[in-house]
Amino acid sequence: MAIKDYTCESLFDIEESIAAPLFDGVEYPWEILGKIEEFIIRLGETLPKDRFEKRGENIWIAKSAHIFDSAYIKGPCIIDEDAELRQCAFIRGKAIVGKGCVVGNSCELKNVVLFNKCEVPHFNYVGDSVLGFHAHMGAGAITSNIKSDRTNVVIHDGDEELATGLRKMGAMLGDYVEVGCNSVLNPGTVIGRHSNIYPLSMVRGCVPADHIYKNKSEVVMKVNR
């Protein structure tokens, strides 16, 4: 595998998101992070009023979404149909939450796109990240989005490197990725479709599609996929 194998097309079914137009002409998913805010505002004004209602400044919520009273939502934000924001969910703005997504107890989102059916259900932090269709974050798993030395994030795949030009970037999770409980995805982590991350993992760089990440020295291909 190489970094060229972690394009938007290889990671996601783009049509499984209300944000599909945001990815038009984009090669790598981290390229959309600086465009989320403007896209939400532009798209929000076009959403059908029979299915979405505007609540506050630049906040659009589907009428079929289930929002607990204790959830906090700052705009700009779009919550798509049948999504669920559970108690004390904290949306810090610039967030697109897809159809049927779950944002759970005390989870925090900032500058993210969650594709349809994505789940961040328990004590998760997801910032400056894109999570694919049916991706799932185990309890306590987080995306770390800024390096300790505050330098720009670089994508690493073995000896290959690709500069992002971004000071803040969390993780890109392909469709159906499973992240185990209490794992930390370091800045610039990219995980291919259908891969699994063991609980308590500290992940850096790229994990190929259809693999199991046990530790940095043991990343094995799935059997019978």
Side-chain angles (χ1 to χ4, degrees):
M1 299 290 287
I3 290 174
K4 64 180 177 62
D5 297 304
Y6 298 96
T7 61
C8 297
E9 184 178 5
S10 66
L11 289 169
F12 311 120
D13 179 351
I14 300 297
E15 296 307 312
E16 286 290 349
S17 174
I18 198 171
L22 179 59
F23 293 86
D24 287 348
V26 174
E27 184 174 12
Y28 295 110
W30 50 88
E31 296 173 23
I32 62 98
L33 293 177
K35 305 174 184 179
I36 294 173
E37 180 174 14
E38 180 184 354
F39 177 82
I40 291 173
I41 295 170
R42 187 170 67 250
L43 177 62
E45 298 293 353
T46 71
L47 294 173
K49 292 182 172 55
D50 62 328
R51 291 160 47 204
F52 289 83
E53 59 180 334
K54 190 174 183 181
R55 302 187 191 176
E57 185 175 1
N58 296 324
I59 299 171
W60 291 270
I61 300 178
K63 294 180 180 180
S64 63
H66 184 195
I67 312 297
F68 281 64
D69 291 340
S70 58
Y72 175 88
I73 304 173
K74 179 183 177 182
C77 180
I78 293 174
I79 310 295
D80 207 348
E81 294 175 301
D82 299 314
E84 182 176 1
L85 268 62
R86 294 174 179 166
Q87 53 266 52
C88 300
F90 179 26
I91 311 298
R92 284 175 51 196
K94 296 186 284 186
I96 298 172
V97 179
K99 290 181 175 65
C101 284
V102 174
V103 182
N105 177 31
S106 301
C107 292
E108 180 178 347
L109 304 182
K110 189 270 292 186
N111 199 43
V112 297
V113 175
L114 305 187
F115 276 64
N116 299 340
K117 301 291 186 180
C118 177
E119 295 183 334
V120 286
H122 310 289
F123 303 103
N124 305 111
Y125 171 71
V126 184
D128 301 286
S129 298
V130 180
L131 275 56
F133 179 53
H134 270 290
H136 175 261
M137 299 275 283
I142 66 167
T143 66
S144 175
N145 63 337
I146 187 167
K147 295 169 65 177
S148 58
D149 61 5
R150 302 301 195 266
T151 58
N152 287 349
V153 175
V154 176
I155 308 296
H156 295 271
D157 188 29
D159 295 331
E160 189 177 359
E161 296 183 351
L162 180 63
T164 67
L166 300 170
R167 192 172 71 90
K168 290 187 177 182
M169 176 192 160
M172 306 289 127
L173 272 56
D175 296 344
Y176 294 96
V177 164
E178 292 278 344
V179 179
C181 296
N182 291 321
S183 292
V184 176
L185 308 181
N186 283 285
T189 295
V190 186
I191 303 175
R193 294 188 198 216
H194 293 281
S195 285
N196 292 58
I197 307 299
Y198 266 23
L200 298 173
S201 294
M202 185 182 71
V203 186
R204 187 183 304 277
C206 298
V207 177
D210 299 310
H211 278 64
I212 299 172
Y213 182 101
K214 300 181 179 182
N215 56 63
K216 66 179 181 180
S217 301
E218 192 175 5
V219 183
V220 299
M221 183 175 290
K222 286 186 173 181
V223 179
N224 300 324
R225 268 251 350 127

